[in-house]
Amino acid sequence: MIVYFGGTAYDGVAGTDRQLADRLSAFTPVLYVDPPVSVLTPLRQPQLAGSLRGSTLRKVTPRLWRLCPRVLPGAYRSGMHHLTAALVRRSARQAARRLAATLGDTVSAVVVATHIETLGAVPGARTVYYATDDLVAGAGLIRLPRRRLAAVRDRMIARADEVAVVSPPLRDQFRQRGCEAVLIPNGCAPEAYTGIDDAPWPDDVPRFDRPAVGFAGHINARIDLGLLEAVAGAGHPLLLVGPHDAAYEPERFRALTDRPNVCWTGRKSFAELPAYLGTIRVGLTPYRLDDFNRASFPIKTLDYLAAGRGAVSTDLPATRWLRAFEDGEDLIRSASTVREFVHAVDLELAAEPTPELAGRRRAFAGRHDWTHRARAFARLLNIDPSAEQHTDRQEEPAP
Protein backbone atom coordinates (compact mmCIF):
# COMPACT_ATOMS: atom_id res chain seq x y z
CA MET A 1 0.00 0.00 0.00
CA ILE A 2 1.07 3.59 -0.74
CA VAL A 3 0.40 6.59 1.48
CA TYR A 4 0.20 9.68 -0.76
CA PHE A 5 0.30 13.11 0.90
CA GLY A 6 -1.32 15.42 -1.63
CA GLY A 7 -0.80 19.14 -1.94
CA THR A 8 -4.51 19.62 -2.73
CA ALA A 9 -7.69 18.02 -1.44
CA TYR A 10 -8.76 14.94 -3.36
CA ASP A 11 -12.14 16.43 -4.25
CA GLY A 12 -10.58 19.73 -5.33
CA VAL A 13 -8.99 20.41 -8.70
CA ALA A 14 -8.33 17.13 -10.53
CA GLY A 15 -4.64 17.94 -10.87
CA THR A 16 -1.33 16.13 -10.48
CA ASP A 17 -1.90 14.51 -7.10
CA ARG A 18 -5.38 13.14 -7.70
CA GLN A 19 -4.67 11.98 -11.24
CA LEU A 20 -1.49 10.20 -10.17
CA ALA A 21 -3.04 8.66 -7.06
CA ASP A 22 -6.01 7.37 -9.05
CA ARG A 23 -3.74 5.59 -11.50
CA LEU A 24 -1.31 4.31 -8.89
CA SER A 25 -4.29 2.60 -7.26
CA ALA A 26 -4.40 0.34 -10.32
CA PHE A 27 -1.10 -1.15 -9.12
CA THR A 28 -1.56 -1.16 -5.35
CA PRO A 29 -3.96 0.22 -2.69
CA VAL A 30 -3.52 3.94 -2.04
CA LEU A 31 -4.30 6.05 1.01
CA TYR A 32 -4.61 9.66 -0.19
CA VAL A 33 -4.02 12.19 2.59
CA ASP A 34 -5.61 15.63 2.07
CA PRO A 35 -4.01 18.82 3.38
CA PRO A 36 -5.14 19.16 7.00
CA VAL A 37 -8.28 21.06 8.00
CA SER A 38 -8.76 23.01 11.22
CA VAL A 39 -11.31 21.60 13.65
CA LEU A 40 -12.97 25.04 13.48
CA THR A 41 -13.36 25.09 9.69
CA PRO A 42 -16.96 23.82 9.69
CA LEU A 43 -17.89 26.72 12.00
CA ARG A 44 -16.08 29.36 9.95
CA GLN A 45 -17.14 27.98 6.58
CA PRO A 46 -20.62 26.44 6.99
CA GLN A 47 -20.72 25.53 3.31
CA LEU A 48 -18.02 22.92 4.02
CA ALA A 49 -19.67 21.48 7.12
CA GLY A 50 -21.38 18.66 5.23
CA SER A 51 -18.22 17.43 3.52
CA LEU A 52 -16.24 17.58 6.79
CA ARG A 53 -18.81 15.83 8.98
CA GLY A 54 -18.37 12.20 9.97
CA SER A 55 -15.38 9.91 9.55
CA THR A 56 -12.14 11.48 8.35
CA LEU A 57 -11.30 8.25 6.47
CA ARG A 58 -13.49 7.37 3.51
CA LYS A 59 -13.37 4.82 0.71
CA VAL A 60 -13.33 6.40 -2.76
CA THR A 61 -12.78 3.31 -4.91
CA PRO A 62 -12.16 -0.36 -4.08
CA ARG A 63 -8.41 0.43 -3.97
CA LEU A 64 -8.24 4.07 -2.90
CA TRP A 65 -9.07 5.72 0.44
CA ARG A 66 -9.09 9.38 1.37
CA LEU A 67 -8.02 10.74 4.76
CA CYS A 68 -8.93 14.29 5.86
CA PRO A 69 -6.74 15.06 8.91
CA ARG A 70 -8.06 17.50 11.52
CA VAL A 71 -5.59 19.87 13.19
CA LEU A 72 -5.65 22.84 15.55
CA PRO A 73 -6.45 26.39 14.38
CA GLY A 74 -3.53 28.45 13.09
CA ALA A 75 -1.98 25.33 11.57
CA TYR A 76 0.77 27.10 9.60
CA ARG A 77 1.68 29.86 12.00
CA SER A 78 5.28 30.02 13.20
CA GLY A 79 5.85 27.23 15.71
CA MET A 80 2.42 25.69 15.12
CA HIS A 81 3.52 24.19 11.79
CA HIS A 82 5.67 21.64 13.66
CA LEU A 83 2.64 20.47 15.68
CA THR A 84 0.53 20.39 12.52
CA ALA A 85 3.05 18.12 10.80
CA ALA A 86 3.15 15.83 13.84
CA LEU A 87 -0.66 15.59 13.96
CA VAL A 88 -0.88 14.82 10.24
CA ARG A 89 1.82 12.15 10.50
CA ARG A 90 0.05 10.52 13.44
CA SER A 91 -3.34 10.61 11.71
CA ALA A 92 -1.92 9.07 8.54
CA ARG A 93 0.05 6.42 10.45
CA GLN A 94 -3.03 5.31 12.39
CA ALA A 95 -5.22 5.20 9.27
CA ALA A 96 -2.56 3.32 7.30
CA ARG A 97 -2.16 0.71 10.04
CA ARG A 98 -5.93 0.23 10.22
CA LEU A 99 -6.23 -0.16 6.45
CA ALA A 100 -3.21 -2.43 6.18
CA ALA A 101 -4.65 -4.72 8.85
CA THR A 102 -8.00 -4.83 7.06
CA LEU A 103 -6.40 -5.56 3.70
CA GLY A 104 -3.77 -7.95 5.03
CA ASP A 105 -1.20 -5.64 3.43
CA THR A 106 1.75 -3.49 4.48
CA VAL A 107 2.69 0.10 3.69
CA SER A 108 5.53 -0.14 1.18
CA ALA A 109 5.95 3.53 0.29
CA VAL A 110 5.17 7.09 1.34
CA VAL A 111 4.91 9.86 -1.27
CA VAL A 112 5.02 13.49 -0.13
CA ALA A 113 3.83 16.12 -2.62
CA THR A 114 3.27 18.91 -0.10
CA HIS A 115 5.23 21.35 2.06
CA ILE A 116 4.29 19.50 5.27
CA GLU A 117 7.10 17.30 6.61
CA THR A 118 5.46 13.87 6.53
CA LEU A 119 8.16 11.61 5.08
CA GLY A 120 8.50 9.79 8.40
CA ALA A 121 4.79 9.04 8.79
CA VAL A 122 5.30 5.28 8.37
CA PRO A 123 8.66 4.07 9.71
CA GLY A 124 10.38 1.58 7.45
CA ALA A 125 8.46 2.51 4.28
CA ARG A 126 10.25 3.67 1.15
CA THR A 127 9.97 7.46 0.84
CA VAL A 128 9.64 9.70 -2.22
CA TYR A 129 9.56 13.48 -2.17
CA TYR A 130 7.68 14.70 -5.27
CA ALA A 131 8.08 18.41 -6.09
CA THR A 132 5.11 19.38 -8.24
CA ASP A 133 5.82 23.13 -7.99
CA ASP A 134 8.57 25.49 -6.89
CA LEU A 135 6.88 26.33 -3.59
CA VAL A 136 9.75 28.55 -2.52
CA ALA A 137 9.25 30.78 -5.57
CA GLY A 138 5.50 30.66 -4.94
CA ALA A 139 5.70 31.49 -1.22
CA GLY A 140 3.76 34.71 -1.75
CA LEU A 141 0.95 32.90 -3.57
CA ILE A 142 0.42 30.37 -0.78
CA ARG A 143 1.16 32.95 1.95
CA LEU A 144 3.87 31.00 3.75
CA PRO A 145 7.40 32.12 4.73
CA ARG A 146 9.91 31.59 1.94
CA ARG A 147 12.71 30.67 4.37
CA ARG A 148 10.60 27.99 6.04
CA LEU A 149 9.57 26.46 2.71
CA ALA A 150 13.21 26.34 1.57
CA ALA A 151 14.30 24.67 4.80
CA VAL A 152 11.53 22.05 4.59
CA ARG A 153 12.40 21.34 0.95
CA ASP A 154 16.07 20.84 1.77
CA ARG A 155 15.31 18.54 4.70
CA MET A 156 13.00 16.37 2.61
CA ILE A 157 15.52 16.19 -0.21
CA ALA A 158 18.12 14.98 2.30
CA ARG A 159 15.82 12.42 3.97
CA ALA A 160 13.92 10.92 1.03
CA ASP A 161 14.98 7.64 -0.55
CA GLU A 162 14.07 9.10 -3.95
CA VAL A 163 13.23 12.57 -5.22
CA ALA A 164 11.04 13.26 -8.25
CA VAL A 165 10.19 16.56 -9.91
CA VAL A 166 7.54 17.67 -12.36
CA SER A 167 9.60 19.91 -14.66
CA PRO A 168 13.08 20.32 -16.18
CA PRO A 169 13.77 23.60 -14.28
CA LEU A 170 13.06 21.87 -10.97
CA ARG A 171 15.38 19.02 -11.97
CA ASP A 172 18.12 21.56 -12.75
CA GLN A 173 17.45 23.44 -9.52
CA PHE A 174 17.71 20.28 -7.43
CA ARG A 175 20.83 19.18 -9.27
CA GLN A 176 22.48 22.44 -8.22
CA ARG A 177 21.67 21.43 -4.65
CA GLY A 178 23.42 18.09 -5.13
CA CYS A 179 20.27 16.03 -5.75
CA GLU A 180 19.73 14.00 -8.92
CA ALA A 181 15.93 14.01 -9.15
CA VAL A 182 13.84 11.88 -11.49
CA LEU A 183 11.72 13.83 -13.96
CA ILE A 184 8.07 12.72 -13.93
CA PRO A 185 6.09 15.45 -15.71
CA ASN A 186 2.37 16.02 -15.59
CA GLY A 187 0.17 14.09 -17.98
CA CYS A 188 -3.37 14.11 -19.33
CA ALA A 189 -6.44 11.88 -19.56
CA PRO A 190 -7.15 11.33 -23.28
CA GLU A 191 -10.00 8.93 -22.49
CA ALA A 192 -11.97 11.82 -20.95
CA TYR A 193 -12.32 13.44 -24.37
CA THR A 194 -13.69 10.49 -26.32
CA GLY A 195 -16.73 11.63 -28.27
CA ILE A 196 -16.08 15.30 -27.50
CA ASP A 197 -17.23 16.46 -30.94
CA ASP A 198 -20.63 14.84 -30.40
CA ALA A 199 -21.17 16.27 -26.91
CA PRO A 200 -24.24 18.52 -26.41
CA TRP A 201 -23.50 22.25 -26.56
CA PRO A 202 -23.42 23.65 -22.98
CA ASP A 203 -26.45 25.75 -22.09
CA ASP A 204 -24.33 28.58 -20.68
CA VAL A 205 -22.16 29.05 -23.79
CA PRO A 206 -23.46 31.09 -26.74
CA ARG A 207 -23.23 29.84 -30.31
CA PHE A 208 -20.23 31.72 -31.62
CA ASP A 209 -20.34 33.20 -35.12
CA ARG A 210 -16.72 32.21 -35.77
CA PRO A 211 -14.12 29.78 -34.35
CA ALA A 212 -13.47 30.44 -30.66
CA VAL A 213 -10.50 30.20 -28.34
CA GLY A 214 -10.70 29.19 -24.72
CA PHE A 215 -8.96 28.96 -21.37
CA ALA A 216 -9.74 26.30 -18.74
CA GLY A 217 -8.39 26.68 -15.23
CA HIS A 218 -8.08 29.01 -12.25
CA ILE A 219 -7.90 32.68 -13.16
CA ASN A 220 -5.51 34.02 -10.54
CA ALA A 221 -2.16 35.76 -10.18
CA ARG A 222 -0.45 33.04 -12.22
CA ILE A 223 -2.38 34.07 -15.33
CA ASP A 224 -1.32 36.94 -17.59
CA LEU A 225 -4.61 38.80 -17.92
CA GLY A 226 -3.06 41.01 -20.58
CA LEU A 227 -2.83 38.06 -22.96
CA LEU A 228 -6.52 37.26 -22.54
CA GLU A 229 -7.38 40.94 -23.05
CA ALA A 230 -5.30 41.04 -26.22
CA VAL A 231 -6.94 37.92 -27.66
CA ALA A 232 -10.40 39.33 -26.95
CA GLY A 233 -9.29 42.70 -28.30
CA ALA A 234 -8.37 41.01 -31.58
CA GLY A 235 -12.05 40.14 -31.96
CA HIS A 236 -11.83 36.42 -31.29
CA PRO A 237 -14.66 34.80 -29.30
CA LEU A 238 -13.11 33.90 -25.94
CA LEU A 239 -14.46 31.26 -23.56
CA LEU A 240 -13.20 31.26 -19.95
CA VAL A 241 -13.93 28.13 -17.91
CA GLY A 242 -12.91 28.16 -14.26
CA PRO A 243 -13.09 30.17 -11.04
CA HIS A 244 -11.71 33.68 -10.69
CA ASP A 245 -9.74 34.71 -7.60
CA ALA A 246 -11.72 37.71 -6.38
CA ALA A 247 -8.52 39.38 -5.18
CA TYR A 248 -6.85 39.22 -8.61
CA GLU A 249 -7.46 42.30 -10.77
CA PRO A 250 -11.22 42.40 -10.07
CA GLU A 251 -11.95 45.50 -12.16
CA ARG A 252 -9.89 44.36 -15.15
CA PHE A 253 -11.46 40.92 -15.03
CA ARG A 254 -14.96 42.39 -14.83
CA ALA A 255 -14.20 44.60 -17.83
CA LEU A 256 -12.90 41.58 -19.74
CA THR A 257 -15.96 39.42 -19.07
CA ASP A 258 -18.28 42.34 -19.93
CA ARG A 259 -17.04 42.30 -23.52
CA PRO A 260 -19.65 40.93 -25.94
CA ASN A 261 -17.23 38.36 -27.39
CA VAL A 262 -16.20 36.93 -23.98
CA CYS A 263 -18.10 34.22 -22.08
CA TRP A 264 -17.14 33.25 -18.53
CA THR A 265 -18.78 30.12 -17.13
CA GLY A 266 -17.20 30.00 -13.68
CA ARG A 267 -16.07 26.78 -12.03
CA LYS A 268 -16.83 23.48 -13.77
CA SER A 269 -15.93 19.94 -12.76
CA PHE A 270 -13.37 17.88 -14.65
CA ALA A 271 -16.21 15.67 -15.90
CA GLU A 272 -17.91 18.72 -17.45
CA LEU A 273 -14.75 20.07 -19.10
CA PRO A 274 -14.89 18.05 -22.37
CA ALA A 275 -18.22 19.57 -23.39
CA TYR A 276 -16.79 23.08 -22.96
CA LEU A 277 -13.57 22.32 -24.83
CA GLY A 278 -15.78 20.98 -27.60
CA THR A 279 -16.97 24.55 -28.28
CA ILE A 280 -13.51 25.97 -29.04
CA ARG A 281 -10.90 25.48 -31.73
CA VAL A 282 -7.82 26.64 -29.77
CA GLY A 283 -6.90 26.34 -26.08
CA LEU A 284 -4.73 28.88 -24.26
CA THR A 285 -2.06 28.53 -21.57
CA PRO A 286 -1.45 32.23 -20.80
CA TYR A 287 0.88 31.93 -17.80
CA ARG A 288 3.01 34.80 -16.54
CA LEU A 289 6.71 34.30 -17.20
CA ASP A 290 7.86 34.36 -13.56
CA ASP A 291 10.01 31.95 -11.53
CA PHE A 292 7.06 30.03 -10.11
CA ASN A 293 5.44 29.42 -13.49
CA ARG A 294 8.74 28.62 -15.20
CA ALA A 295 9.14 25.68 -12.81
CA SER A 296 5.57 24.47 -13.38
CA PHE A 297 4.18 21.98 -15.88
CA PRO A 298 0.67 23.12 -16.91
CA ILE A 299 -1.69 20.22 -17.48
CA LYS A 300 -4.06 22.24 -19.65
CA THR A 301 -1.76 22.30 -22.70
CA LEU A 302 -1.93 18.50 -22.96
CA ASP A 303 -5.67 18.55 -22.19
CA TYR A 304 -6.29 20.80 -25.20
CA LEU A 305 -4.36 18.42 -27.45
CA ALA A 306 -6.14 15.39 -25.96
CA ALA A 307 -9.39 17.10 -26.94
CA GLY A 308 -8.09 17.46 -30.51
CA ARG A 309 -7.79 21.24 -30.15
CA GLY A 310 -4.92 23.54 -30.99
CA ALA A 311 -2.70 24.81 -28.17
CA VAL A 312 -1.03 28.19 -27.69
CA SER A 313 1.14 28.77 -24.61
CA THR A 314 3.53 31.31 -23.24
CA ASP A 315 7.14 30.22 -23.71
CA LEU A 316 7.49 28.10 -20.57
CA PRO A 317 10.26 25.49 -20.17
CA ALA A 318 7.57 22.81 -19.92
CA THR A 319 6.21 23.96 -23.28
CA ARG A 320 9.67 23.76 -24.81
CA TRP A 321 10.08 20.26 -23.36
CA LEU A 322 6.85 19.12 -24.99
CA ARG A 323 7.68 20.81 -28.30
CA ALA A 324 10.99 18.91 -28.38
CA PHE A 325 9.11 15.62 -28.76
CA GLU A 326 8.32 14.20 -32.19
CA ASP A 327 5.47 16.26 -33.75
CA GLY A 328 5.41 18.56 -30.76
CA GLU A 329 6.93 21.61 -32.43
CA ASP A 330 4.14 22.13 -34.94
CA LEU A 331 1.35 20.99 -32.60
CA ILE A 332 2.03 23.52 -29.83
CA ARG A 333 2.68 27.19 -30.53
CA SER A 334 4.53 29.29 -27.97
CA ALA A 335 5.13 33.01 -27.55
CA SER A 336 7.07 35.37 -25.30
CA THR A 337 5.26 38.66 -26.01
CA VAL A 338 1.65 39.78 -26.29
CA ARG A 339 2.00 40.41 -30.03
CA GLU A 340 3.54 36.98 -30.61
CA PHE A 341 0.82 35.34 -28.54
CA VAL A 342 -2.03 36.90 -30.52
CA HIS A 343 -0.26 36.07 -33.79
CA ALA A 344 0.10 32.43 -32.68
CA VAL A 345 -3.63 32.35 -31.91
CA ASP A 346 -4.39 33.79 -35.36
CA LEU A 347 -2.27 31.11 -37.04
CA GLU A 348 -3.80 28.29 -35.02
CA LEU A 349 -7.35 29.46 -35.71
CA ALA A 350 -6.55 29.57 -39.42
CA ALA A 351 -5.45 25.90 -39.44
CA GLU A 352 -8.12 23.71 -41.00
CA PRO A 353 -9.48 21.43 -38.24
CA THR A 354 -9.21 18.20 -40.20
CA PRO A 355 -9.67 14.74 -38.67
CA GLU A 356 -6.04 14.04 -39.51
CA LEU A 357 -4.81 17.06 -37.54
CA ALA A 358 -7.07 16.28 -34.59
CA GLY A 359 -5.80 12.69 -34.67
CA ARG A 360 -2.18 13.82 -34.55
CA ARG A 361 -2.93 16.04 -31.56
CA ARG A 362 -4.67 13.22 -29.71
CA ALA A 363 -1.92 10.75 -30.52
CA PHE A 364 0.69 13.17 -29.16
CA ALA A 365 -1.28 13.66 -25.95
CA GLY A 366 -1.69 9.89 -25.66
CA ARG A 367 2.07 9.51 -25.37
CA HIS A 368 1.89 11.71 -22.28
CA ASP A 369 -1.12 10.27 -20.49
CA TRP A 370 -1.36 9.77 -16.74
CA THR A 371 -1.03 6.01 -17.01
CA HIS A 372 2.46 6.40 -18.52
CA ARG A 373 3.37 8.77 -15.68
CA ALA A 374 1.98 6.42 -13.02
CA ARG A 375 3.96 3.48 -14.39
CA ALA A 376 7.15 5.52 -14.16
CA PHE A 377 6.26 6.50 -10.61
CA ALA A 378 5.44 2.91 -9.67
CA ARG A 379 8.90 1.83 -10.76
CA LEU A 380 10.35 4.58 -8.56
CA LEU A 381 8.40 3.06 -5.65
CA ASN A 382 9.70 -0.46 -6.48
CA ILE A 383 6.15 -1.50 -7.46
CA ASP A 384 5.61 -3.71 -10.50
CA PRO A 385 3.38 -1.74 -12.92
CA SER A 386 2.58 -4.92 -14.85
CA ALA A 387 0.20 -5.87 -12.04
CA GLU A 388 -2.29 -3.24 -13.17
CA GLN A 389 -5.92 -3.69 -12.22
CA HIS A 390 -8.77 -1.63 -13.64
CA THR A 391 -11.40 -0.39 -11.22
CA ASP A 392 -14.23 2.05 -11.76
CA ARG A 393 -14.18 5.18 -9.67
CA GLN A 394 -17.11 5.64 -7.32
CA GLU A 395 -18.15 8.83 -5.61
CA GLU A 396 -17.67 9.11 -1.89
CA PRO A 397 -20.77 8.28 0.11
CA ALA A 398 -22.71 11.23 1.44
CA PRO A 399 -21.73 11.95 5.05
Side-chain angles (χ1 to χ4, degrees):
M1 185 172 70
I2 297 170
V3 178
Y4 191 112
F5 289 92
T8 57
Y10 182 84
D11 64 354
V13 176
T16 308
D17 296 328
R18 174 168 159 180
Q19 296 283 3
L20 195 55
D22 279 348
R23 283 155 182 79
L24 284 171
S25 70
F27 311 132
T28 188
V30 174
L31 171 62
Y32 186 98
V33 184
D34 277 3
V37 174
S38 165
V39 292
L40 296 183
T41 296
L43 299 178
R44 294 173 176 169
Q45 302 180 55
Q47 72 275 19
L48 298 179
S51 62
L52 295 177
R53 190 183 300 121
S55 173
T56 61
L57 179 63
R58 302 179 185 179
K59 190 173 186 178
V60 181
T61 73
R63 292 165 64 87
L64 189 146
W65 288 259
R66 175 192 179 192
L67 176 68
C68 305
R70 306 290 197 268
V71 294
L72 299 176
Y76 300 123
R77 290 178 182 170
S78 182
M80 279 294 294
H81 64 285
H82 293 301
L83 177 58
T84 295
L87 290 173
V88 173
R89 288 194 299 268
R90 185 181 68 177
S91 180
R93 183 164 54 249
Q94 291 173 344
R97 285 174 177 170
R98 192 157 72 245
L99 277 178
T102 301
L103 298 172
D105 200 353
T106 58
V107 178
S108 61
V110 170
V111 178
V112 176
T114 176
H115 61 84
I116 302 174
E117 292 189 78
T118 49
L119 281 175
V122 183
R126 183 173 178 78
T127 55
V128 176
Y129 171 46
Y130 187 30
T132 58
D133 278 303
D134 184 350
L135 295 182
V136 177
L141 284 172
I142 60 178
R143 298 180 178 90
L144 289 176
R146 182 183 180 95
R147 183 177 297 179
R148 180 202 300 174
L149 291 171
V152 169
R153 174 202 61 197
D154 292 346
R155 284 196 295 269
M156 288 205 281
I157 286 175
R159 291 185 59 193
D161 294 317
E162 292 284 354
V163 176
V165 294
V166 80
S167 69
L170 279 173
R171 180 178 56 186
D172 295 342
Q173 181 187 128
F174 282 30
R175 182 174 292 145
Q176 291 173 3
R177 309 189 76 81
C179 172
E180 286 297 329
V182 178
L183 176 63
I184 302 182
N186 282 331
C188 62
E191 68 279 0
Y193 302 99
T194 302
I196 182 176
D197 295 317
D198 299 319
W201 195 277
D203 293 337
D204 53 351
V205 178
R207 293 278 182 173
F208 306 118
D209 60 357
R210 72 198 92 164
V213 297
F215 167 83
H218 282 254
I219 303 166
N220 54 26
R222 299 186 66 180
I223 303 305
D224 189 336
L225 208 56
L227 295 177
L228 297 176
E229 292 169 333
V231 170
H236 301 306
L238 174 62
L239 175 65
L240 304 175
V241 181
H244 169 246
D245 180 353
Y248 176 55
E249 299 282 7
E251 293 183 5
R252 284 181 67 187
F253 184 71
R254 189 179 307 112
L256 174 64
T257 55
D258 282 345
R259 299 189 189 206
N261 61 324
V262 177
C263 172
W264 175 44
T265 69
R267 184 188 297 272
K268 299 295 175 181
S269 69
F270 181 73
E272 295 173 292
L273 183 59
Y276 288 90
L277 293 189
T279 69
I280 66 172
R281 182 176 290 185
V282 179
L284 308 178
T285 306
Y287 278 32
R288 291 177 179 273
L289 291 174
D290 57 25
D291 289 344
F292 183 64
N293 283 337
R294 285 190 181 93
S296 71
F297 198 106
I299 297 173
K300 55 182 57 62
T301 302
L302 285 170
D303 278 339
Y304 299 142
L305 295 174
R309 272 50 192 169
V312 175
S313 171
T314 39
D315 188 26
L316 300 168
T319 304
R320 288 180 224 143
W321 187 84
L322 286 171
R323 282 167 54 87
F325 275 82
E326 181 183 356
D327 289 341
E329 186 170 358
D330 72 322
L331 291 180
I332 306 170
R333 297 186 187 273
S334 64
S336 299
T337 68
V338 173
R339 179 177 294 182
E340 290 174 355
F341 195 88
V342 174
H343 182 58
V345 170
D346 292 339
L347 292 175
E348 204 62 36
L349 283 171
E352 186 66 26
T354 63
E356 186 271 339
L357 178 58
R360 286 181 55 220
R361 290 167 175 163
R362 291 183 172 116
F364 180 86
R367 296 199 289 275
H368 300 275
D369 72 359
W370 284 113
T371 299
H372 282 86
R373 304 300 194 235
R375 287 173 181 156
F377 214 106
R379 287 190 285 270
L380 197 63
L381 299 171
N382 289 340
I383 294 171
D384 182 6
S386 65
E388 183 174 0
Q389 297 185 24
H390 297 281
T391 57
D392 293 330
R393 185 181 184 278
Q394 64 188 34
E395 295 298 327
E396 296 183 42

